[in-house]
Amino acid sequence: MDSTLLDNLGAPRFETSKPLLVAGISERCTHENGGAGIPNQWQQFHQKVDAIPARIGKIAYGVCCNGDDAGNFDYIAGVEVDDFSDLPREFA
């Protein structure tokens, strides 16, 4: 990865949206792994995204959820879906 600092990085954009159902590749991020697996998750996601049923659109989301008091959390690289009922076990 290119570690060059960006001087012209735009300000973050905050939006209010309707609730979303997001399905994709999930991994637990801890202090021990420091989120090092997130880039690998995105590689896996791009290889498997077409197998996610009930997908809505083509926008991908990175979701942090299920945080704990120690700062650990689940990270999902995924897409919006309209239903979880046919979701294969490999996806969260």
Side-chain angles (χ1 to χ4, degrees):
M1 295 181 65
D2 182 2
S3 62
T4 306
L5 294 176
L6 299 176
D7 293 330
N8 59 351
L9 187 62
R13 183 181 77 205
F14 294 89
E15 294 187 21
T16 301
S17 172
K18 64 180 176 71
L20 302 174
L21 296 177
V22 175
I25 305 294
S26 178
E27 295 290 334
R28 187 78 176 160
C29 295
T30 65
H31 287 287
E32 287 77 34
N33 67 23
I38 292 175
N40 183 49
Q41 279 179 254
W42 282 104
Q43 288 178 341
Q44 290 179 42
F45 167 79
H46 287 298
Q47 294 171 358
K48 297 180 178 187
V49 66
D50 291 333
I52 299 174
R55 187 170 79 185
I56 299 173
K58 296 190 180 265
I59 297 173
Y61 297 92
V63 179
C64 298
C65 56
N66 303 322
D68 63 23
D69 291 339
N72 305 311
F73 60 93
D74 292 334
Y75 184 85
I76 301 171
V79 291
E80 183 180 6
V81 296
D82 63 13
D83 189 319
F84 290 140
S85 64
D86 291 330
L87 197 62
R89 288 181 163 267
E90 66 185 306
F91 300 114

